[in-house]
Structure formats: structure tokens, C-alpha cells
């Protein structure tokens, strides 16, 4: 079971690690939904937490695409006129 992820923790991950974390979260969400449908789910709050983690990961990925959030390993000054 994954713990709730903070955005600043996601900043440290590269694209491959983010993709892996997203895959794990989606898999956990599937399992939680399955448990909920069969009446075996004990922690309904966990469903909400995993959904928020997934949204957080998508937000970080999108912000990196738009250049709002720096990708790990990149300098904040990319144009080179330092």
C-alpha cells in the first residue's frame, strides 16, 4: 500500500519513475474499487487518497510539459546566459 504522495516528493522523480508510480496508483485504485464492489473494502478513505495521488501525478506531468515545473536534472536557467 502506497502512502499519500506530496507534490514536492514527485518533483524529485524523473519521468520513468513518475510513470511507474502512476501505474502503481492506478492498479491500487482498481483493487480498491474491486474490493468496494464486493463489500470487502475496509478503508473508504483510501479510495479518495489514491484518486488524489493520481491527480497529483498527472498535474506534475502536465506542469513539466508546460515548463511550469522543472524536470529533475535540469537547471532552472536553460537559456544559458548566466
Amino acid at each position: 500500500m502506497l502512502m499519500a504522495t506530496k507534490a514536492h516528493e514527485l518533483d524529485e522523480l524523473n519521468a520513468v519513475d513518475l510513470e511507474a508510480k502512476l501505474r502503481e496508483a492506478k492498479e491500487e485504485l482498481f483493487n480498491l474499487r474491486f474490493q468496494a464492489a464486493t463489500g470487502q473494502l475496509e478503508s473508504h478513505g483510501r479510495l479518495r487518497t489514491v484518486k488524489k495521488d493520481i491527480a497529483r501525478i498527472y498535474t506534475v506531468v502536465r506542469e513539466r510539459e508546460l515548463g511550469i515545473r522543472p524536470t529533475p536534472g535540469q537547471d532552472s536557467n536553460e537559456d544559458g546566459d548566466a
Side-chain angles (χ1 to χ4, degrees), residues 9-72:
E9 294 169 0
L10 296 174
D11 283 342
E12 300 165 7
L13 301 177
N14 60 26
V16 174
D17 292 338
L18 265 181
E19 195 174 308
K21 197 155 189 83
L22 179 62
R23 197 175 314 110
E24 288 174 21
K26 283 184 170 186
E27 188 174 320
E28 183 177 357
L29 181 61
F30 174 82
N31 291 331
L32 289 170
R33 284 181 172 159
F34 192 80
Q35 288 174 9
T38 58
Q40 297 173 345
L41 184 61
E42 295 174 9
S43 171
H44 290 278
R46 186 69 189 141
L47 255 172
R48 184 176 182 193
T49 304
V50 173
K51 285 182 185 179
K52 286 187 175 189
D53 283 349
I54 291 171
R56 213 171 266 125
I57 293 169
Y58 277 130
T59 300
V60 169
V61 168
R62 183 65 179 142
E63 286 178 349
R64 285 182 183 176
E65 288 174 2
L66 295 174
I68 298 169
R69 188 179 295 262
T71 305

Side-chain angles (χ1 to χ4, degrees), residues 75-82:
D75 279 339
S76 57
N77 187 6
E78 292 181 27
D79 48 4
D81 50 45

